[in-house]
Amino acid sequence: MLRFAFVALSGLIALTGPTRAADVSEFTLDNGLQAIVIEDHRAPVVVHMLWYRVGAADEPPGESGIAHYLEHLLFKATETLENGEFSEIVEANGGSDNAFTSWDYTGYFQRVASDRLGLMMQMEADRMRNLLLTEDDIETERSVVLEERAERTETSPGALLGEQMSATLYQAHPYRIPIIGWRHEIEQLGRDEIFDFYHRFYAPDNAILIVAGDVTPDEVQALAEIHYGPIAASNAPRKARPTEPPQIANRRVTYEDPRVSDPYVIRSYLTQPREPGDQETAAALTLLSNVLSHGATGFLPSALQFDEQRALYAAGFYSGTRLDYGEFTIYNVPAPGISLEEAEADLDRVIADFLEMGIDPEQFARLQFQWEASRIYEEDDVGELARTYGNALSAGLSVQDIQEWPEIIAATTPEDVMEAARMVFEGTYHVTGYLTQPATEEATE
């Protein structure tokens, strides 16, 4: 079964909203476990998710990758299960399971028939506290993690540039460290460090249980009391993270790699995320990313791809569902024969035109309608609903924040979006990245 580091596509998640408020309920066990129940009785299926409020941004210095490494190791033996038996049982019961890690959270999920929910809770509660790790387990999985880093990052010039961009955009905050970790630190992680991390963070008072599908709140609470209720809280508060110093200069990163086929220029700005009780700016930034990027009518592709035909692709996106900071990014993949310097100038020019011209009200109305349609469509997938809630709750938002998000999007005006655009493009320092092939001797003569 594929294990992967889920690099949260927060910009996409932020474009979708929750199910109807009447279908969602919540409770908290005495040991601090927060639980969310999303009812959907259209099929006898349930998604069981356990999100831990710990991710790559919570790792001790010098131990990058430990959150993702531990995600892999949680499929090893416990006091009651053998190596790999967890997934074998899920599959034998007609279900599927997987896990994911981001900067702010680590999550585990199963999709099974609703009458198997108790079994899923039993096994998940077991590995919350009863993990057994041998040195062989550690070394075997280290090879898997390093191979994953090689396949997903080290063979991808774009991923390598992305690492360097994050390390430059953030000067102090641990969002600058890759979720999968730096290779030289992964190679040094040992059993003691992994178990210290596990015992500190894997506890009910640091977890969010989300159950979505053919269940009732009473059924979920009764099962949660049986399986999760006996586990003691850790009472280990989340470590305070460093904050960013004021950014006082624009920065540049150039990464050259002979494997690059389509060079591009990318620019990232540090912005605010969705704030609990104060999501209006994030809503404006979410719609700004749509205005700039959505299909052929998006301001960037309309100008650069279709009208001028100077770009193969141009877009912008907003990553706002994070605990500490958001990011707004624009990029341009120029057409053949156009240099990256010209492509960067094209981005600057089109953004300046956008700030001067503003938003077409009819286009904006269509975008809001499409956003609402995507929200309604999402209700057909309980797994996506569960992920939406887990991502937002792990980022410090409340159920009320999640349920109010569609109304805030609907109330956002073109003026709000333009104010957010000026805040980003005129009032924020940025990092600009070039991804390109090394210059050849012929090209420099």
Side-chain angles (χ1 to χ4, degrees):
M1 178 175 294
L2 176 66
R3 306 290 174 215
F4 58 92
F6 176 72
V7 179
L9 299 176
S10 304
L12 296 179
I13 293 171
L15 296 179
T16 56
T19 188
R20 297 174 298 277
D23 294 334
V24 180
S25 59
E26 60 180 318
F27 62 87
T28 302
L29 298 186
D30 290 343
N31 58 13
L33 178 71
Q34 180 183 8
I36 307 296
V37 182
I38 306 171
E39 292 186 73
D40 186 331
H41 300 287
R42 289 175 293 179
V45 175
V46 67
V47 172
H48 171 260
M49 281 186 152
L50 196 66
W51 297 65
Y52 291 97
R53 295 183 183 90
V54 62
D58 301 295
E59 296 166 338
E63 297 179 11
S64 68
I66 196 169
H68 171 251
Y69 199 165
L70 180 57
E71 174 218 309
H72 278 245
L73 291 167
L74 231 68
F75 293 87
K76 300 299 184 181
T78 69
E79 293 180 1
T80 62
L81 297 174
E82 299 295 329
N83 277 356
E85 191 177 2
F86 188 109
S87 294
E88 292 172 2
I89 292 174
V90 173
E91 184 178 359
N93 281 272
S96 59
D97 73 322
N98 216 315
F100 45 84
T101 305
S102 189
W103 282 285
D104 297 319
Y105 55 75
T106 309
Y108 303 84
F109 71 90
Q110 305 86 41
R111 182 188 289 264
V112 292
S114 52
D115 62 357
R116 300 296 192 271
L117 177 59
L119 176 60
M120 298 302 105
M121 285 195 189
Q122 176 186 333
M123 294 195 299
E124 200 68 84
D126 176 42
R127 67 178 176 178
M128 179 185 281
R129 279 305 195 190
N130 299 324
L131 187 63
L132 303 176
L133 292 177
T134 66
E135 291 295 341
D136 285 345
D137 292 333
I138 300 291
E139 292 308 316
T140 298
E141 211 59 35
R142 190 195 315 278
S143 298
V144 174
V145 171
L146 289 172
E147 180 61 26
E148 182 178 329
R149 177 175 168 84
E151 290 182 359
R152 293 177 176 270
T153 302
E154 293 163 359
T155 61
S156 169
L160 289 170
L161 174 64
E163 283 190 342
Q164 297 303 309
M165 289 283 291
S166 293
T168 307
L169 181 63
Y170 296 97
Q171 297 176 318
H173 192 278
Y175 285 164
R176 70 193 316 275
I177 298 171
I179 293 168
I180 200 168
W182 299 115
R183 172 175 283 272
H184 68 286
E185 293 186 348
I186 298 169
E187 291 172 340
Q188 300 301 316
L189 292 174
R191 187 174 184 273
D192 290 344
E193 292 88 350
I194 291 168
F195 258 122
D196 286 347
F197 193 83
Y198 170 67
H199 289 305
R200 176 180 175 85
F201 293 111
Y202 277 56
D205 51 331
N206 196 46
I208 305 166
L209 170 67
I210 300 179
V211 179
D214 187 25
V215 292
T216 67
D218 289 344
E219 291 169 344
V220 174
Q221 185 162 359
L223 289 171
E225 292 281 6
I226 292 170
H227 298 293
Y228 293 112
I231 303 175
S234 69
N235 297 313
R238 194 174 205 160
K239 182 179 63 176
R241 296 172 175 179
T243 56
E244 279 296 293
Q247 302 209 350
I248 61 173
N250 295 326
R251 284 144 287 160
R252 288 186 170 274
V253 175
T254 298
Y255 177 62
E256 297 180 346
D257 194 307
R259 298 170 295 181
V260 172
S261 56
D262 293 313
Y264 62 80
V265 57
I266 183 169
R267 180 176 293 164
S268 292
Y269 303 79
L270 207 59
T271 64
Q272 72 180 65
R274 288 170 61 182
E275 300 280 4
D278 182 15
Q279 303 182 87
E280 284 75 15
T281 299
L285 290 167
T286 296
L287 290 173
L288 174 62
S289 70
N290 279 251
V291 169
L292 291 178
S293 304
H294 190 77
T297 61
F299 207 91
L300 286 171
S302 177
L304 293 175
Q305 290 177 239
F306 300 104
D307 291 348
E308 303 175 9
Q309 298 185 348
R310 291 180 58 82
L312 301 177
Y313 190 68
F317 55 91
Y318 170 57
S319 301
T321 313
R322 292 185 180 181
L323 186 61
D324 297 317
Y325 296 97
E327 295 177 26
F328 201 95
T329 301
I330 55 175
Y331 59 100
N332 181 9
V333 184
I338 296 175
S339 69
L340 291 186
E341 290 78 10
E342 292 174 301
E344 182 182 1
D346 285 344
L347 270 182
D348 289 336
R349 172 176 52 82
V350 173
I351 291 297
D353 290 344
F354 171 71
L355 293 174
E356 181 179 351
M357 296 171 59
I359 299 171
D360 180 345
E362 292 186 2
Q363 180 200 10
F364 189 75
R366 287 194 299 269
L367 285 173
Q368 284 185 308
F369 176 81
Q370 290 163 353
W371 188 94
E372 176 64 13
S374 72
R375 183 187 74 84
I376 294 171
Y377 181 75
E378 186 198 39
E379 294 184 5
D380 289 334
D381 189 331
V382 293
E384 285 303 309
L385 276 172
R387 187 181 290 275
T388 295
Y389 270 85
N391 184 206
L393 293 168
S394 298
L397 299 170
S398 68
V399 170
Q400 181 177 349
D401 290 323
I402 301 167
Q403 293 174 346
E404 289 177 349
W405 181 237
E407 297 176 4
I408 295 172
I409 290 285
T412 303
T413 66
E415 292 74 21
D416 296 329
V417 174
M418 292 308 300
E419 181 180 351
R422 287 187 289 271
M423 175 191 72
V424 172
F425 298 127
E426 295 181 342
T428 306
Y429 290 103
H430 54 74
V431 176
T432 301
Y434 280 17
L435 180 68
T436 185
Q437 293 181 332
T440 62
E441 289 187 8
E442 288 184 4
T444 57
E445 288 178 355

